[in-house]
Amino acid sequence: MSAFNELDTSTQTELEAAAFRRLLKHLDDNKDVQNIDLMILADFCRNCLSKWLVTAAETRGESLSYEEAREHVYGMPYSEWKELYQPPATPEQMAAWEAHHAKKKAAKQG
């Protein structure tokens, strides 16, 4: 059993929440890392985090819209962030995404 699992549930939750806040700060400090790059390398992006927040809220009976969650994750309205920091995907990024997606699809089938 890991030391983390030996911590009380409240402490585990606090540590996980702190790590999540640190992840959001890290992403905010590295706006040059595009969502498509995250999807290619890690199979998740800022939008995924937003969707996970909505799901977590729903699980607890709370109301949080996708746009509200994205504003929290991005630190501003998504439309503003996109305009300021998200250039169109390059042909190389799109090719890498398509290759990644095809590899995942093949793995599921085989």
Side-chain angles (χ1 to χ4, degrees):
M1 182 173 282
S2 75
F4 187 85
N5 290 335
E6 294 175 10
L7 298 170
D8 64 88
T9 304
S10 178
T11 300
Q12 287 179 8
T13 300
E14 289 173 20
L15 294 175
E16 291 166 342
F20 181 73
R21 287 188 295 272
R22 173 65 190 225
L23 173 61
L24 292 182
K25 170 127 179 50
H26 182 75
L27 290 171
D28 190 51
D29 290 345
N30 293 278
K31 291 178 179 76
D32 58 313
V33 177
Q34 297 298 306
N35 283 335
I36 193 163
D37 297 324
L38 291 168
M39 290 298 293
I40 293 164
L41 295 172
D43 210 27
F44 84 99
C45 70
R46 292 168 181 89
N47 291 324
C48 297
L49 292 173
S50 302
K51 290 174 185 175
W52 299 341
L53 274 174
V54 171
T55 299
E58 289 171 352
T59 299
R60 296 183 53 98
E62 301 292 336
S63 176
L64 181 66
S65 74
Y66 180 51
E67 288 307 314
E68 291 167 332
R70 288 206 308 188
E71 187 165 339
H72 178 69
V73 168
Y74 285 92
M76 64 183 69
Y78 174 66
S79 59
E80 183 179 331
W81 191 93
K82 187 175 177 180
E83 183 178 316
L84 292 171
Y85 302 109
Q86 186 172 313
T90 65
E92 294 81 10
Q93 287 171 317
M94 290 306 299
W97 166 246
E98 289 169 13
H100 171 77
H101 191 66
K103 184 178 177 181
K104 275 183 57 177
K105 188 175 180 180
K108 284 183 181 179
Q109 293 174 347

mmCIF file of all heavy atoms in Angstrom, residues 6 9 12 16 20 22 26 36 39-40 43 55 57 60 66 68-70 77-78 82-83 88 98 103 105 109:
data_model
loop_
_atom_site.group_PDB
_atom_site.id
_atom_site.type_symbol
_atom_site.label_atom_id
_atom_site.label_comp_id
_atom_site.label_asym_id
_atom_site.label_seq_id
_atom_site.Cartn_x
_atom_site.Cartn_y
_atom_site.Cartn_z
ATOM 1 N N GLU A 6 -2.561 5.753 2.649
ATOM 2 C CA GLU A 6 -2.654 5.697 4.105
ATOM 3 C C GLU A 6 -3.090 7.036 4.711
ATOM 4 O O GLU A 6 -3.421 7.101 5.883
ATOM 5 C CB GLU A 6 -1.316 5.245 4.700
ATOM 6 C CG GLU A 6 -0.985 3.809 4.317
ATOM 7 C CD GLU A 6 0.392 3.360 4.774
ATOM 8 O OE1 GLU A 6 1.040 4.086 5.556
ATOM 9 O OE2 GLU A 6 0.821 2.286 4.336
ATOM 10 N N THR A 9 -8.891 10.603 3.924
ATOM 11 C CA THR A 9 -9.552 11.021 2.687
ATOM 12 C C THR A 9 -9.501 12.528 2.492
ATOM 13 O O THR A 9 -9.283 13.012 1.373
ATOM 14 C CB THR A 9 -11.017 10.529 2.677
ATOM 15 O OG1 THR A 9 -11.022 9.116 2.849
ATOM 16 C CG2 THR A 9 -11.710 10.869 1.378
ATOM 17 N N GLN A 12 -6.042 13.470 1.341
ATOM 18 C CA GLN A 12 -5.867 13.032 -0.049
ATOM 19 C C GLN A 12 -6.537 14.028 -0.999
ATOM 20 O O GLN A 12 -5.944 14.440 -1.996
ATOM 21 C CB GLN A 12 -6.471 11.638 -0.258
ATOM 22 C CG GLN A 12 -5.686 10.522 0.368
ATOM 23 C CD GLN A 12 -6.359 9.164 0.149
ATOM 24 O OE1 GLN A 12 -7.329 9.042 -0.590
ATOM 25 N NE2 GLN A 12 -5.839 8.148 0.816
ATOM 26 N N GLU A 16 -4.733 16.296 -3.826
ATOM 27 C CA GLU A 16 -5.146 16.183 -5.227
ATOM 28 C C GLU A 16 -5.596 17.540 -5.765
ATOM 29 O O GLU A 16 -5.266 17.914 -6.894
ATOM 30 C CB GLU A 16 -6.253 15.136 -5.368
ATOM 31 C CG GLU A 16 -5.764 13.728 -5.123
ATOM 32 C CD GLU A 16 -6.873 12.711 -4.918
ATOM 33 O OE1 GLU A 16 -8.019 13.105 -4.624
ATOM 34 O OE2 GLU A 16 -6.583 11.510 -5.038
ATOM 35 N N PHE A 20 -3.969 19.665 -8.807
ATOM 36 C CA PHE A 20 -4.769 20.140 -9.931
ATOM 37 C C PHE A 20 -4.567 21.641 -10.142
ATOM 38 O O PHE A 20 -4.376 22.097 -11.267
ATOM 39 C CB PHE A 20 -6.255 19.822 -9.707
ATOM 40 C CG PHE A 20 -7.140 20.265 -10.831
ATOM 41 C CD1 PHE A 20 -7.149 19.581 -12.042
ATOM 42 C CD2 PHE A 20 -7.961 21.376 -10.693
ATOM 43 C CE1 PHE A 20 -7.962 20.000 -13.094
ATOM 44 C CE2 PHE A 20 -8.779 21.791 -11.733
ATOM 45 C CZ PHE A 20 -8.777 21.105 -12.936
ATOM 46 N N ARG A 22 -1.985 23.316 -9.330
ATOM 47 C CA ARG A 22 -0.624 23.459 -9.858
ATOM 48 C C ARG A 22 -0.595 23.133 -11.352
ATOM 49 O O ARG A 22 0.085 23.802 -12.133
ATOM 50 C CB ARG A 22 0.328 22.555 -9.064
ATOM 51 C CG ARG A 22 1.725 22.464 -9.579
ATOM 52 C CD ARG A 22 2.452 23.814 -9.494
ATOM 53 N NE ARG A 22 3.690 23.723 -10.222
ATOM 54 C CZ ARG A 22 4.844 24.165 -9.811
ATOM 55 N NH1 ARG A 22 4.929 24.772 -8.660
ATOM 56 N NH2 ARG A 22 5.910 24.022 -10.539
ATOM 57 N N HIS A 26 0.560 25.603 -14.254
ATOM 58 C CA HIS A 26 1.602 25.191 -15.197
ATOM 59 C C HIS A 26 1.126 25.379 -16.637
ATOM 60 O O HIS A 26 1.866 25.903 -17.477
ATOM 61 C CB HIS A 26 1.985 23.727 -14.940
ATOM 62 C CG HIS A 26 3.079 23.238 -15.816
ATOM 63 N ND1 HIS A 26 4.393 23.583 -15.629
ATOM 64 C CD2 HIS A 26 3.057 22.440 -16.909
ATOM 65 C CE1 HIS A 26 5.141 23.024 -16.557
ATOM 66 N NE2 HIS A 26 4.347 22.315 -17.347
ATOM 67 N N ILE A 36 -3.688 20.787 -29.127
ATOM 68 C CA ILE A 36 -3.435 19.675 -30.035
ATOM 69 C C ILE A 36 -2.146 18.945 -29.653
ATOM 70 O O ILE A 36 -2.064 17.723 -29.743
ATOM 71 C CB ILE A 36 -3.442 20.108 -31.518
ATOM 72 C CG1 ILE A 36 -3.492 18.865 -32.418
ATOM 73 C CG2 ILE A 36 -2.255 21.008 -31.847
ATOM 74 C CD1 ILE A 36 -3.903 19.144 -33.838
ATOM 75 N N MET A 39 -3.017 16.737 -26.778
ATOM 76 C CA MET A 39 -3.788 15.584 -27.237
ATOM 77 C C MET A 39 -2.891 14.536 -27.894
ATOM 78 O O MET A 39 -3.070 13.338 -27.680
ATOM 79 C CB MET A 39 -4.884 16.021 -28.214
ATOM 80 C CG MET A 39 -6.014 16.801 -27.572
ATOM 81 S SD MET A 39 -6.941 15.874 -26.333
ATOM 82 C CE MET A 39 -7.712 14.629 -27.336
ATOM 83 N N ILE A 40 -1.926 14.994 -28.679
ATOM 84 C CA ILE A 40 -1.025 14.073 -29.362
ATOM 85 C C ILE A 40 -0.156 13.327 -28.346
ATOM 86 O O ILE A 40 0.016 12.110 -28.437
ATOM 87 C CB ILE A 40 -0.145 14.823 -30.382
ATOM 88 C CG1 ILE A 40 -1.000 15.356 -31.534
ATOM 89 C CG2 ILE A 40 0.979 13.931 -30.910
ATOM 90 C CD1 ILE A 40 -0.306 16.425 -32.370
ATOM 91 N N ASP A 43 -3.080 12.601 -24.760
ATOM 92 C CA ASP A 43 -4.463 12.214 -25.001
ATOM 93 C C ASP A 43 -5.462 12.947 -24.099
ATOM 94 O O ASP A 43 -6.511 12.420 -23.757
ATOM 95 C CB ASP A 43 -4.630 10.699 -24.881
ATOM 96 C CG ASP A 43 -5.722 10.167 -25.770
ATOM 97 O OD1 ASP A 43 -6.001 10.794 -26.810
ATOM 98 O OD2 ASP A 43 -6.314 9.131 -25.425
ATOM 99 N N THR A 55 -18.234 17.032 -15.130
ATOM 100 C CA THR A 55 -18.659 15.706 -14.673
ATOM 101 C C THR A 55 -18.538 15.584 -13.157
ATOM 102 O O THR A 55 -19.440 15.048 -12.501
ATOM 103 C CB THR A 55 -17.825 14.614 -15.369
ATOM 104 O OG1 THR A 55 -18.029 14.711 -16.778
ATOM 105 C CG2 THR A 55 -18.218 13.226 -14.893
ATOM 106 N N ALA A 57 -18.681 18.001 -10.989
ATOM 107 C CA ALA A 57 -19.746 18.823 -10.398
ATOM 108 C C ALA A 57 -21.075 18.079 -10.446
ATOM 109 O O ALA A 57 -21.806 18.038 -9.447
ATOM 110 C CB ALA A 57 -19.841 20.165 -11.121
ATOM 111 N N ARG A 60 -21.563 15.458 -7.893
ATOM 112 C CA ARG A 60 -21.854 15.999 -6.562
ATOM 113 C C ARG A 60 -23.187 16.742 -6.519
ATOM 114 O O ARG A 60 -23.525 17.365 -5.511
ATOM 115 C CB ARG A 60 -20.735 16.921 -6.113
ATOM 116 C CG ARG A 60 -19.402 16.216 -5.925
ATOM 117 C CD ARG A 60 -18.341 17.161 -5.418
ATOM 118 N NE ARG A 60 -18.750 17.863 -4.219
ATOM 119 C CZ ARG A 60 -18.418 17.516 -2.972
ATOM 120 N NH1 ARG A 60 -17.638 16.466 -2.791
ATOM 121 N NH2 ARG A 60 -18.821 18.214 -1.941
ATOM 122 N N TYR A 66 -20.174 23.843 -19.110
ATOM 123 C CA TYR A 66 -18.907 23.617 -19.807
ATOM 124 C C TYR A 66 -18.157 24.934 -19.993
ATOM 125 O O TYR A 66 -16.944 25.013 -19.768
ATOM 126 C CB TYR A 66 -19.186 22.926 -21.144
ATOM 127 C CG TYR A 66 -17.970 22.625 -21.981
ATOM 128 C CD1 TYR A 66 -16.867 21.963 -21.453
ATOM 129 C CD2 TYR A 66 -17.950 22.969 -23.325
ATOM 130 C CE1 TYR A 66 -15.758 21.678 -22.234
ATOM 131 C CE2 TYR A 66 -16.847 22.685 -24.117
ATOM 132 C CZ TYR A 66 -15.762 22.039 -23.563
ATOM 133 O OH TYR A 66 -14.671 21.762 -24.352
ATOM 134 N N GLU A 68 -18.396 27.658 -18.166
ATOM 135 C CA GLU A 68 -17.902 28.089 -16.857
ATOM 136 C C GLU A 68 -16.652 27.307 -16.474
ATOM 137 O O GLU A 68 -15.690 27.887 -15.954
ATOM 138 C CB GLU A 68 -18.985 27.905 -15.791
ATOM 139 C CG GLU A 68 -20.156 28.842 -15.948
ATOM 140 C CD GLU A 68 -21.354 28.455 -15.105
ATOM 141 O OE1 GLU A 68 -21.534 27.251 -14.798
ATOM 142 O OE2 GLU A 68 -22.136 29.367 -14.774
ATOM 143 N N ALA A 69 -16.666 26.030 -16.727
ATOM 144 C CA ALA A 69 -15.499 25.203 -16.417
ATOM 145 C C ALA A 69 -14.311 25.616 -17.280
ATOM 146 O O ALA A 69 -13.175 25.701 -16.785
ATOM 147 C CB ALA A 69 -15.828 23.719 -16.619
ATOM 148 N N ARG A 70 -14.550 25.862 -18.563
ATOM 149 C CA ARG A 70 -13.451 26.290 -19.440
ATOM 150 C C ARG A 70 -12.878 27.624 -18.980
ATOM 151 O O ARG A 70 -11.660 27.818 -19.013
ATOM 152 C CB ARG A 70 -13.914 26.377 -20.900
ATOM 153 C CG ARG A 70 -14.130 25.024 -21.498
ATOM 154 C CD ARG A 70 -13.986 24.927 -22.970
ATOM 155 N NE ARG A 70 -14.727 25.845 -23.785
ATOM 156 C CZ ARG A 70 -14.783 25.737 -25.111
ATOM 157 N NH1 ARG A 70 -14.133 24.777 -25.737
ATOM 158 N NH2 ARG A 70 -15.476 26.592 -25.818
ATOM 159 N N PRO A 77 -12.411 33.716 -20.512
ATOM 160 C CA PRO A 77 -13.325 33.053 -21.450
ATOM 161 C C PRO A 77 -12.528 32.351 -22.559
ATOM 162 O O PRO A 77 -11.522 32.884 -23.048
ATOM 163 C CB PRO A 77 -14.155 34.209 -22.006
ATOM 164 C CG PRO A 77 -14.108 35.249 -20.929
ATOM 165 C CD PRO A 77 -12.725 35.130 -20.330
ATOM 166 N N TYR A 78 -12.989 31.174 -22.927
ATOM 167 C CA TYR A 78 -12.272 30.381 -23.926
ATOM 168 C C TYR A 78 -12.103 31.142 -25.229
ATOM 169 O O TYR A 78 -11.035 31.109 -25.847
ATOM 170 C CB TYR A 78 -12.998 29.057 -24.179
ATOM 171 C CG TYR A 78 -12.395 28.259 -25.305
ATOM 172 C CD1 TYR A 78 -11.114 27.727 -25.189
ATOM 173 C CD2 TYR A 78 -13.086 28.057 -26.490
ATOM 174 C CE1 TYR A 78 -10.545 27.004 -26.228
ATOM 175 C CE2 TYR A 78 -12.532 27.339 -27.527
ATOM 176 C CZ TYR A 78 -11.258 26.808 -27.388
ATOM 177 O OH TYR A 78 -10.698 26.105 -28.422
ATOM 178 N N LYS A 82 -8.542 31.620 -26.936
ATOM 179 C CA LYS A 82 -8.313 31.098 -28.279
ATOM 180 C C LYS A 82 -7.799 32.190 -29.206
ATOM 181 O O LYS A 82 -6.857 31.976 -29.967
ATOM 182 C CB LYS A 82 -9.609 30.489 -28.823
ATOM 183 C CG LYS A 82 -9.447 29.765 -30.130
ATOM 184 C CD LYS A 82 -10.762 29.094 -30.531
ATOM 185 C CE LYS A 82 -10.622 28.416 -31.876
ATOM 186 N NZ LYS A 82 -11.840 27.762 -32.295
ATOM 187 N N GLU A 83 -8.402 33.366 -29.115
ATOM 188 C CA GLU A 83 -7.983 34.478 -29.962
ATOM 189 C C GLU A 83 -6.552 34.932 -29.634
ATOM 190 O O GLU A 83 -5.780 35.245 -30.538
ATOM 191 C CB GLU A 83 -8.947 35.646 -29.784
ATOM 192 C CG GLU A 83 -8.653 36.831 -30.679
ATOM 193 C CD GLU A 83 -9.674 37.942 -30.492
ATOM 194 O OE1 GLU A 83 -10.881 37.634 -30.422
ATOM 195 O OE2 GLU A 83 -9.243 39.099 -30.411
ATOM 196 N N PRO A 88 -3.936 28.490 -35.541
ATOM 197 C CA PRO A 88 -4.448 27.288 -36.212
ATOM 198 C C PRO A 88 -3.411 26.165 -36.150
ATOM 199 O O PRO A 88 -2.198 26.420 -36.137
ATOM 200 C CB PRO A 88 -4.653 27.751 -37.655
ATOM 201 C CG PRO A 88 -4.738 29.243 -37.578
ATOM 202 C CD PRO A 88 -3.883 29.646 -36.421
ATOM 203 N N GLU A 98 -3.641 12.853 -36.455
ATOM 204 C CA GLU A 98 -4.283 11.788 -37.220
ATOM 205 C C GLU A 98 -3.569 10.457 -37.011
ATOM 206 O O GLU A 98 -4.212 9.412 -36.867
ATOM 207 C CB GLU A 98 -4.350 12.171 -38.698
ATOM 208 C CG GLU A 98 -5.351 13.283 -38.958
ATOM 209 C CD GLU A 98 -5.261 13.879 -40.357
ATOM 210 O OE1 GLU A 98 -4.595 13.288 -41.233
ATOM 211 O OE2 GLU A 98 -5.875 14.948 -40.565
ATOM 212 N N LYS A 103 -3.610 5.183 -34.474
ATOM 213 C CA LYS A 103 -2.943 4.191 -33.615
ATOM 214 C C LYS A 103 -3.870 3.756 -32.474
ATOM 215 O O LYS A 103 -3.971 2.568 -32.165
ATOM 216 C CB LYS A 103 -1.653 4.777 -33.062
ATOM 217 C CG LYS A 103 -0.834 3.816 -32.254
ATOM 218 C CD LYS A 103 0.469 4.480 -31.793
ATOM 219 C CE LYS A 103 1.254 3.534 -30.925
ATOM 220 N NZ LYS A 103 2.502 4.163 -30.440
ATOM 221 N N LYS A 105 -7.162 3.874 -32.506
ATOM 222 C CA LYS A 105 -8.271 3.127 -33.098
ATOM 223 C C LYS A 105 -7.830 1.687 -33.415
ATOM 224 O O LYS A 105 -8.560 0.735 -33.155
ATOM 225 C CB LYS A 105 -8.744 3.822 -34.367
ATOM 226 C CG LYS A 105 -9.986 3.256 -34.967
ATOM 227 C CD LYS A 105 -10.455 4.090 -36.163
ATOM 228 C CE LYS A 105 -11.711 3.507 -36.759
ATOM 229 N NZ LYS A 105 -12.171 4.285 -37.911
ATOM 230 N N GLN A 109 -9.178 -2.059 -31.858
ATOM 231 C CA GLN A 109 -9.699 -3.110 -32.716
ATOM 232 C C GLN A 109 -8.905 -4.403 -32.583
ATOM 233 O O GLN A 109 -9.431 -5.476 -32.863
ATOM 234 C CB GLN A 109 -9.714 -2.648 -34.182
ATOM 235 C CG GLN A 109 -10.692 -1.528 -34.423
ATOM 236 C CD GLN A 109 -10.600 -0.985 -35.841
ATOM 237 O OE1 GLN A 109 -9.665 -1.267 -36.568
ATOM 238 N NE2 GLN A 109 -11.578 -0.176 -36.214
#
